[in-house]
């Protein structure tokens, strides 16, 4: 799909319509019209609130707590320096995405960019693949966060009973299901204040971070037991059967899992005021905040952790962070901090459901998902939100979460969609831009510059590919059992192969990429010419290819062989 150079007349009409209905400012509506879409969602989110939704989904401390099983086996060096190095590379990925997000801010940005920049032969299948990978990756992230919430919630009960109670898989799923339903209800009914709530969520994250980094070092059980600087910054361990160097690399999975929701800023583009700046700065501020404060957190954890790392990993409470709190603070304080931890984790799930529903709605708007016609409508009654998409994501999460009843390994593989699936969805549009579409790229207000933009993009692609490979490696060692096997490669390959099979078997007959939804009555001959050149699929515009029509070098049907029939186009 191409970016339309909208005429002043078209911009004015589109913008005035959106402004009159109170959905957006004239400038924001005009930017969206240039991308081919009419304004349908209300722009309730400021730049800080766009940052807030990404930072809330990352849920820094709860996410670190949920992923300690990746970093602790490599010892303090893996916890501390693994975090610092991987976060730096993730920031580079954020820079590459910020370039695109500033230039073309739309809710379906990742697959839209792919279609815009990719070659004519690859644009439709790659766009289809990215859309499905990103949509399922976000739903996988919702499953992962809510599953983590259920484990933390039940860990509090276990602590209260001094570790003498372990939850059944049924109890875990029941808690998970209740959490998903609560999120769907809240996302449906609190749309008018959802942007403001992100600020509250950010504050709660920082309250939890402050409580942890202050309380742990001065805990009454921690006197004379804090680890020294050499242990924190230079002590290497290896509790896996991999070589020590590879165990260190596997520790990178903790920040890769944690700092993995910055694309939510893109999905909120059509609800963000001044999106060309709010989106890129939201991406970069959320990553930078996690990089800095996460580094501080892991240093504190390394300073206070019991040097018998195996006992921490095998905690009877089921969560290493619970054991770290317990060893430093005792039972009562641990219950307090763990309660705050699962509350923040709950808020993470609400934020990612909001982001996932916007991506799902955008993909449905372009007709790519099954039942797109059902998920496409916007609910004005509930505040101009994609209500059906919200509940569709919640239902899919509830179904996919049933895997936790089979085995933890199966559930973990499903949740890996949040890493491998999203890495693929982030990497392809960046790759398409620098390989096929650099000449078409027009920077927005944020731009890393002609000299840096391309090296940054290539570095991001290499790291994302590495992250996909890393997420598929069995973390315990090279000879896993069926119980410890990493089934990420199975789940993700099935998703990617299934999406491409669906496209080539059926969808190629009708999927032509993102659709234009602006009013065709307002299209001028200039816009009509752009449609002919780029072969865009427009609601209300009918294309007829005359017999003998030939493909041009752009991969589209030659202009002279196209008849555009519309009320607004001669």
């Amino acid at each position: 799909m191409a970016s339309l150079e909208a005429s002043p007349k078209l911009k004015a009409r589109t913008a005035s319509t959106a402004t009159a209905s109170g959905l957006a400012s004239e400038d924001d509506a005009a930017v969206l019209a240039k991308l081919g879409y009419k304004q349908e969602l209300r722009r309730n989110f400021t730049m800080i609130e766009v940052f807030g939704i990404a930072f809330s989904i990352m849920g820094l401390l709860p996410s670190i707590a949920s992923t300690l099983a990746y970093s602790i086996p490599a010892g303090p060096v893996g916890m501390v320096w693994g975090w610092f190095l991987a976060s730096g590379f993730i920031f580079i990925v954020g820079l590459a995405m910020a370039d695109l997000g500033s230039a073309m801010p739309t809710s379906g940005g990742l697959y839209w960019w792919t279609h815009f920049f990719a070659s004519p032969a690859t644009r439709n299948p790659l766009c289809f693949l990215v859309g499905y990978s990103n949509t399922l990756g976000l739903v996988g992230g919702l499953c992962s966060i809510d599953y983590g919430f259920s484990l933390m919630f039940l860990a509090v009960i276990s602590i209260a009973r001094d570790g003498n109670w372990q939850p059944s898989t049924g109890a875990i799923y029941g808690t998970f299901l209740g959490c998903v339903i609560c999120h769907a209800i809240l996302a449906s009914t609190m749309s008018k204040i959802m942007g403001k709530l992100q600020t509250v969520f950010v504050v709660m994250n920082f309250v939890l971070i402050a409580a942890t980094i202050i309380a742990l070092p001065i805990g009454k059980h921690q006197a004379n037991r804090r680890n020294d600087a050499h242990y924190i910054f230079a002590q290497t361990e290896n509790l896996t059967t991999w070589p020590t160097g590879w165990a260190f690399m596997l520790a990178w999975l903790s920040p890769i899992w944690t700092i993995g929701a910055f694309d939510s800023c893109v999905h909120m583009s059509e609800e963000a005021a001044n999106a060309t700046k709010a989106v890129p700065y939201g991406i970069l501020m959320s990553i930078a905040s996690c990089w800095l404060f996460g580094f501080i957190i892991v240093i504190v954890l390394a300073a206070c952790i019991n040097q018998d790392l195996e006992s921490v990993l095998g905690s009877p409470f089921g969560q290493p962070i619970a054991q770290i709190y317990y060893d430093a603070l005792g039972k009562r304080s641990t219950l307090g901090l763990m309660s705050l931890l699962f509350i923040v984790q709950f808020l993470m799930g609400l934020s990612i459901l909001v982001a996932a529903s916007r991506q799902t709605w955008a993909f449905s708007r372009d007709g790519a998902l099954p039942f797109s016609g059902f998920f496409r409508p916007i609910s004005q009654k509930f505040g101009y939100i994609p209500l059906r998409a919200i509940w569709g994501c919640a239902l899919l999460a509830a179904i996919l979460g049933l895997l936790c009843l089979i085995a933890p390994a199966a559930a973990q593989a499903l949740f890996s969609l949040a890493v491998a699936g999203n890495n693929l969805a982030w990497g392809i549009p960046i790759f398409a831009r620098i390989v096929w579409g650099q000449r078409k790229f027009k920077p927005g207000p944020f731009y890393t510059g002609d000299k840096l933009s391309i090296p940054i993009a290539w570095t991001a692609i290499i790291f994302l590919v590495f992250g996909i490979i890393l997420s598929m490696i069995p973390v315990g060692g090279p000879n896993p059992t069926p119980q410890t096997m990493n089934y990420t490669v199975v789940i993700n390959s099935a998703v990617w192969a299934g999406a491409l099979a669906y496209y080539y078997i059926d969808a190629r007959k009708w999927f032509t990429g993102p659709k234009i939804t602006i009013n065709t009555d307002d299209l001028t001959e200039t816009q009509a010419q752009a449609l002919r050149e780029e072969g865009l699929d427009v609601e209300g515009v009918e294309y007829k290819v005359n017999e003998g029509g030939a493909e041009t070098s752009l991969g589209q049907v030659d202009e002279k062989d196209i008849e555009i029939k519309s009320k607004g186009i001669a």
Side-chain angles (χ1 to χ4, degrees):
M1 176 176 179
S3 173
L4 292 180
E5 291 296 337
S7 68
K9 177 182 177 182
L10 175 61
K11 285 184 178 181
R13 289 187 181 181
T14 305
S16 63
T17 300
T19 303
S21 58
L23 298 180
S25 69
E26 290 188 7
D27 289 343
D28 281 323
V31 168
L32 191 58
K34 186 178 178 181
L35 302 179
Y37 292 127
K38 62 184 177 182
Q39 186 70 46
E40 298 182 69
L41 304 175
R42 179 171 279 122
R43 292 184 182 266
N44 290 324
F45 286 73
T46 65
M47 181 188 296
I48 295 300
E49 290 163 355
V50 170
F51 151 75
I53 196 166
F55 189 74
S56 297
I57 295 172
M58 293 173 185
L60 185 55
L61 188 51
S63 293
I64 290 175
S66 298
T67 57
L68 284 174
Y70 294 120
S71 56
I72 288 178
V77 164
M79 294 172 64
V80 174
W81 296 117
W83 180 275
F84 185 84
L85 293 173
S87 297
F89 282 106
I90 295 169
F91 188 80
I92 292 174
V93 175
L95 286 170
M97 189 178 292
D99 278 345
L100 294 171
S102 180
M104 295 167 285
T106 176
S107 293
L110 299 175
Y111 71 84
W112 197 101
W113 303 334
T114 300
H115 193 271
F116 178 65
F117 288 119
S119 67
T122 61
R123 59 172 50 155
N124 285 346
L126 285 181
C127 170
F128 203 73
L129 173 63
V130 167
Y132 270 92
S133 189
N134 189 216
T135 301
L136 291 176
L138 287 166
V139 175
L142 173 62
C143 291
S144 177
I145 289 171
D146 285 3
Y147 185 75
F149 164 83
S150 64
L151 293 179
M152 290 184 185
F153 178 83
L154 295 171
V156 170
I157 299 176
S158 179
I159 294 168
R161 299 183 180 182
D162 298 317
N164 295 320
W165 176 82
Q166 299 295 325
S168 65
T169 54
I172 293 172
Y173 180 75
T175 306
F176 166 85
L177 181 61
C179 182
V180 170
I181 293 173
C182 287
H183 284 150
I185 294 172
L186 293 174
S188 302
T189 58
M190 304 183 73
S191 62
K192 293 182 180 180
I193 60 171
M194 190 58 67
K196 300 294 185 291
L197 285 176
Q198 302 311 312
T199 303
V200 176
F201 297 172
V202 169
V203 171
M204 292 197 65
N205 269 277
F206 279 113
V207 168
L208 177 60
I209 291 169
T212 297
I213 63 178
I214 293 172
L216 276 182
I218 62 174
K220 65 178 181 179
H221 295 267
Q222 198 60 256
N224 301 320
R225 290 176 52 191
R226 285 187 293 273
N227 300 313
D228 59 24
H230 180 271
Y231 183 84
I232 296 169
F233 296 105
Q235 182 66 33
T236 300
E237 302 284 353
N238 186 2
L239 302 184
T240 75
T241 56
W242 291 109
T244 300
W246 190 244
F248 173 77
M249 299 310 300
L250 288 170
W252 289 31
L253 284 170
S254 179
I256 288 173
W257 272 94
T258 299
I259 315 176
F262 47 88
D263 65 314
S264 58
C265 298
V266 176
H267 303 310
M268 302 308 295
S269 293
E270 295 178 38
E271 294 173 78
N274 196 11
T276 55
K277 292 183 179 179
V279 171
Y281 287 111
I283 291 171
L284 298 178
M285 287 191 298
S286 60
I287 297 174
S289 298
C290 285
W291 187 3
L292 172 62
F293 291 103
F295 189 56
I296 295 171
I297 290 169
V298 293
I299 288 174
V300 172
L301 293 179
C304 300
I305 196 170
N306 185 335
Q307 293 191 17
D308 183 1
L309 299 180
E310 292 192 38
S311 68
V312 175
L313 284 173
S315 170
F317 305 135
Q319 292 286 303
I321 189 67
Q323 191 64 53
I324 294 172
Y325 281 151
Y326 192 88
D327 291 341
L329 304 171
K331 180 178 177 179
R332 293 182 62 183
S333 297
T334 299
L335 286 172
L337 284 173
M338 286 296 294
S339 297
L340 185 56
L341 198 67
F342 74 66
I343 291 172
V344 173
Q345 182 97 357
F346 179 86
L347 303 179
M348 292 166 57
L350 176 58
S351 295
I352 198 172
L353 177 57
V354 171
S357 66
R358 273 48 175 185
Q359 161 62 19
T360 302
W361 169 76
F363 211 32
S364 297
R365 175 176 59 183
D366 294 317
L369 290 176
F371 311 109
S372 286
F374 176 79
F375 292 115
R376 169 72 174 81
I378 292 295
S379 172
Q380 296 183 19
K381 179 180 179 180
F382 284 84
Y384 291 92
I385 61 169
L387 183 68
R388 295 179 181 180
I390 289 171
W391 284 94
C393 290
L395 177 62
L396 180 58
I399 294 172
L400 295 177
L402 289 169
L403 280 176
C404 74
L405 296 175
I406 300 174
Q412 194 66 24
L414 169 67
F415 304 155
S416 70
L417 284 169
V419 173
N422 278 330
N423 274 21
L424 182 82
W426 301 338
I428 288 179
I430 298 172
F431 179 83
R433 174 206 150 190
I434 58 177
V435 172
W436 294 302
Q438 183 60 25
R439 289 184 302 172
K440 298 169 69 175
F441 178 66
K442 296 181 180 180
F446 176 90
Y447 183 44
T448 52
D450 293 336
K451 292 183 178 180
L452 293 178
S453 183
I454 300 300
I456 285 173
W458 277 117
T459 304
I461 291 167
I462 293 170
F463 177 74
L464 290 171
V465 171
F466 175 71
I468 292 173
I469 295 171
L470 199 64
S471 70
M472 295 180 176
I473 301 296
V475 295
N479 298 302
T481 65
Q483 290 73 34
T484 60
M485 176 59 187
N486 186 343
Y487 295 97
T488 296
V489 64
V490 177
I491 295 291
N492 285 274
S493 296
V495 169
W496 299 332
L500 289 175
Y502 180 31
Y503 173 80
Y504 283 108
I505 293 172
D506 182 56
R508 65 182 176 82
K509 303 172 186 176
W510 46 264
F511 180 74
T512 56
K515 297 178 180 179
I516 293 178
T517 62
I518 51 178
N519 191 341
T520 56
D521 290 345
D522 293 333
L523 285 174
T524 66
E525 182 57 33
T526 301
Q527 279 79 56
Q529 175 67 19
L531 301 183
R532 295 188 187 101
E533 292 176 354
E534 293 295 340
L536 303 181
D537 186 7
V538 186
E539 293 181 358
V541 177
E542 178 183 344
Y543 291 84
K544 180 180 178 182
V545 182
N546 292 330
E547 188 174 342
E551 294 285 322
T552 69
S553 60
L554 291 176
Q556 306 299 337
V557 180
D558 193 280
E559 174 185 340
K560 67 183 180 181
D561 296 316
I562 297 178
E563 296 178 6
I564 299 182
K565 297 182 179 180
S566 173
K567 181 178 178 181
I569 303 177

